[in-house]
mmCIF file of all heavy atoms in Angstrom:
data_model
loop_
_atom_site.group_PDB
_atom_site.id
_atom_site.type_symbol
_atom_site.label_atom_id
_atom_site.label_comp_id
_atom_site.label_asym_id
_atom_site.label_seq_id
_atom_site.Cartn_x
_atom_site.Cartn_y
_atom_site.Cartn_z
ATOM 1 N N GLY A 43 20.286 5.523 -11.861
ATOM 2 C CA GLY A 43 21.135 4.389 -12.191
ATOM 3 C C GLY A 43 20.352 3.255 -12.814
ATOM 4 O O GLY A 43 20.837 2.555 -13.722
ATOM 5 N N ALA A 44 19.125 3.035 -12.335
ATOM 6 C CA ALA A 44 18.289 1.985 -12.879
ATOM 7 C C ALA A 44 17.879 2.307 -14.309
ATOM 8 O O ALA A 44 17.840 1.421 -15.173
ATOM 9 C CB ALA A 44 17.059 1.786 -11.996
ATOM 10 N N ILE A 45 17.585 3.577 -14.553
ATOM 11 C CA ILE A 45 17.191 3.988 -15.908
ATOM 12 C C ILE A 45 18.357 3.808 -16.875
ATOM 13 O O ILE A 45 18.205 3.318 -18.004
ATOM 14 C CB ILE A 45 16.695 5.439 -15.890
ATOM 15 C CG1 ILE A 45 15.375 5.525 -15.118
ATOM 16 C CG2 ILE A 45 16.505 5.967 -17.316
ATOM 17 C CD1 ILE A 45 14.891 6.939 -14.884
ATOM 18 N N ALA A 46 19.557 4.185 -16.427
ATOM 19 C CA ALA A 46 20.736 4.018 -17.281
ATOM 20 C C ALA A 46 20.968 2.552 -17.600
ATOM 21 O O ALA A 46 21.301 2.187 -18.744
ATOM 22 C CB ALA A 46 21.965 4.626 -16.587
ATOM 23 N N LYS A 47 20.789 1.692 -16.611
ATOM 24 C CA LYS A 47 20.941 0.255 -16.838
ATOM 25 C C LYS A 47 19.915 -0.238 -17.847
ATOM 26 O O LYS A 47 20.243 -1.059 -18.741
ATOM 27 C CB LYS A 47 20.796 -0.501 -15.517
ATOM 28 C CG LYS A 47 20.917 -2.031 -15.650
ATOM 29 C CD LYS A 47 22.302 -2.445 -16.098
ATOM 30 C CE LYS A 47 22.432 -3.954 -16.109
ATOM 31 N NZ LYS A 47 23.804 -4.387 -16.505
ATOM 32 N N ALA A 48 18.681 0.243 -17.737
ATOM 33 C CA ALA A 48 17.642 -0.174 -18.673
ATOM 34 C C ALA A 48 17.988 0.212 -20.104
ATOM 35 O O ALA A 48 17.792 -0.571 -21.038
ATOM 36 C CB ALA A 48 16.299 0.426 -18.264
ATOM 37 N N HIS A 49 18.523 1.422 -20.276
ATOM 38 C CA HIS A 49 18.936 1.845 -21.627
ATOM 39 C C HIS A 49 20.006 0.905 -22.186
ATOM 40 O O HIS A 49 19.954 0.496 -23.347
ATOM 41 C CB HIS A 49 19.467 3.275 -21.600
ATOM 42 C CG HIS A 49 18.416 4.327 -21.572
ATOM 43 N ND1 HIS A 49 17.529 4.543 -22.624
ATOM 44 C CD2 HIS A 49 18.080 5.257 -20.634
ATOM 45 C CE1 HIS A 49 16.720 5.529 -22.325
ATOM 46 N NE2 HIS A 49 17.012 5.970 -21.117
ATOM 47 N N HIS A 50 20.966 0.574 -21.347
ATOM 48 C CA HIS A 50 22.043 -0.316 -21.793
ATOM 49 C C HIS A 50 21.497 -1.686 -22.165
ATOM 50 O O HIS A 50 21.867 -2.232 -23.233
ATOM 51 C CB HIS A 50 23.092 -0.446 -20.695
ATOM 52 C CG HIS A 50 24.160 -1.446 -21.002
ATOM 53 N ND1 HIS A 50 25.164 -1.209 -21.920
ATOM 54 C CD2 HIS A 50 24.372 -2.718 -20.532
ATOM 55 C CE1 HIS A 50 25.943 -2.263 -22.000
ATOM 56 N NE2 HIS A 50 25.498 -3.182 -21.167
ATOM 57 N N VAL A 51 20.597 -2.232 -21.366
ATOM 58 C CA VAL A 51 20.052 -3.553 -21.638
ATOM 59 C C VAL A 51 19.234 -3.531 -22.926
ATOM 60 O O VAL A 51 19.309 -4.463 -23.746
ATOM 61 C CB VAL A 51 19.200 -4.039 -20.441
ATOM 62 C CG1 VAL A 51 18.429 -5.299 -20.798
ATOM 63 C CG2 VAL A 51 20.087 -4.292 -19.230
ATOM 64 N N LEU A 52 18.465 -2.481 -23.130
ATOM 65 C CA LEU A 52 17.682 -2.383 -24.360
ATOM 66 C C LEU A 52 18.560 -2.406 -25.617
ATOM 67 O O LEU A 52 18.183 -2.948 -26.644
ATOM 68 C CB LEU A 52 16.845 -1.104 -24.336
ATOM 69 C CG LEU A 52 15.588 -1.115 -23.450
ATOM 70 C CD1 LEU A 52 14.999 0.299 -23.342
ATOM 71 C CD2 LEU A 52 14.532 -2.064 -24.015
ATOM 72 N N ASP A 53 19.731 -1.814 -25.472
ATOM 73 C CA ASP A 53 20.636 -1.739 -26.618
ATOM 74 C C ASP A 53 21.438 -3.011 -26.840
ATOM 75 O O ASP A 53 21.946 -3.240 -27.951
ATOM 76 C CB ASP A 53 21.634 -0.573 -26.424
ATOM 77 C CG ASP A 53 20.982 0.782 -26.536
ATOM 78 O OD1 ASP A 53 19.905 0.865 -27.170
ATOM 79 O OD2 ASP A 53 21.530 1.759 -25.967
ATOM 80 N N THR A 54 21.541 -3.859 -25.817
ATOM 81 C CA THR A 54 22.495 -4.966 -25.913
ATOM 82 C C THR A 54 21.907 -6.349 -25.676
ATOM 83 O O THR A 54 22.591 -7.361 -25.912
ATOM 84 C CB THR A 54 23.639 -4.762 -24.894
ATOM 85 O OG1 THR A 54 23.096 -4.742 -23.564
ATOM 86 C CG2 THR A 54 24.395 -3.467 -25.175
ATOM 87 N N ASP A 55 20.654 -6.447 -25.230
ATOM 88 C CA ASP A 55 20.112 -7.727 -24.821
ATOM 89 C C ASP A 55 18.714 -7.905 -25.399
ATOM 90 O O ASP A 55 17.843 -7.065 -25.187
ATOM 91 C CB ASP A 55 20.069 -7.787 -23.283
ATOM 92 C CG ASP A 55 19.708 -9.164 -22.735
ATOM 93 O OD1 ASP A 55 19.165 -9.985 -23.478
ATOM 94 O OD2 ASP A 55 19.959 -9.399 -21.528
#
Side-chain angles (χ1 to χ4, degrees):
I45 293 173
K47 179 65 175 182
H49 280 295
H50 174 74
V51 170
L52 284 170
D53 290 337
T54 61
D55 188 341

